[in-house]
């Protein structure tokens, strides 16, 4: 895929936080993935009360969804994270997981949104993605 991440001069450096300010993509197919959360195949919440576990399970669910559509994690160009009670500890966990999940020079664009609650009161995070396939 022809995907390029940009970190414009004059904007704060983002590579250490696991995202890019801008992503440019030349693609043949776009994939829009509904918000994925830490739920198993039966809809049961995984990792109740543990933000890190829920983040990792949400990313696993994204991987499964993308694979079904003929894509993969490397094709992700944009993420939107909805986080219940967003705070600095959760931001740190997100940065750690995103820098581990993506190549440093191919980080997706990313928006973090603090919310009061999600569809299930036990969910702490939900993630939407847009992927582009060559």
């Amino acid at each position: 895929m022809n995907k390029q991440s940009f970190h414009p001069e004059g904007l704060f450096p983002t590579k250490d936080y696991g995202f890019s300010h801008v992503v440019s993509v030349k693609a043949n197919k776009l994939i829009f993935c509904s918000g994925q959360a830490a739920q198993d195949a039966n809809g049961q919440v995984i990792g109740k009360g543990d933000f890190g576990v829920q983040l990792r399970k949400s990313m696993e669910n994204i991987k499964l969804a993308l694979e079904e559509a003929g894509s993969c994690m490397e094709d992700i160009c944009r993420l939107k994270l909805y986080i219940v009670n967003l705070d600095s500890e959760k931001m740190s966990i997100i940065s750690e997981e995103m820098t581990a999940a993506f190549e440093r020079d191919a980080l997706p664009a990313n928006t973090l949104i603090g919310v009061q609650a999600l569809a299930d009161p036990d969910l702490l995070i939900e993630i939407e993605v847009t992927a582009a396939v060559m």
Side-chain angles (χ1 to χ4, degrees):
M1 177 180 56
N2 192 357
K3 177 173 85 171
Q4 188 173 6
S5 297
F6 297 92
H7 305 274
E9 190 173 316
L11 298 178
F12 77 93
T14 59
K15 286 185 179 184
D16 291 338
Y17 297 99
F19 73 97
S20 298
H21 281 289
V22 181
V23 176
S24 173
V25 179
K26 291 182 183 177
N28 291 325
K29 176 168 79 170
L30 290 177
I31 299 168
F32 301 91
C33 187
S34 293
Q36 296 298 307
Q39 294 170 302
D40 65 16
N42 297 315
Q44 298 300 309
V45 175
I46 304 299
K48 289 182 184 178
D50 189 323
F51 182 78
V53 168
Q54 288 200 18
L55 172 57
R56 287 185 288 282
K57 178 60 177 164
S58 298
M59 294 296 282
E60 288 173 20
N61 288 347
I62 288 166
K63 182 179 179 190
L64 290 172
L66 291 176
E67 287 173 353
E68 181 70 18
S71 185
C72 63
M73 298 294 283
E74 291 79 26
D75 294 335
I76 294 174
C77 52
R78 179 170 173 76
L79 297 107
K80 283 186 186 176
L81 289 80
Y82 301 89
I83 299 122
V84 175
N85 300 322
L86 180 60
D87 60 22
S88 59
E89 181 181 342
K90 289 176 183 166
M91 295 266 303
S92 179
I93 293 169
I94 292 165
S95 293
E96 203 173 288
E97 292 296 326
M98 293 301 143
T99 55
F102 299 101
E103 293 290 326
R104 191 164 167 83
D105 292 327
L107 295 166
N110 186 340
T111 300
L112 299 175
I113 303 165
V115 297
Q116 183 178 359
L118 294 167
D120 183 307
D122 290 324
L123 292 173
L124 301 174
I125 184 168
E126 185 171 336
I127 306 172
E128 288 180 43
V129 300
T130 303
V133 181
M134 247 335 242

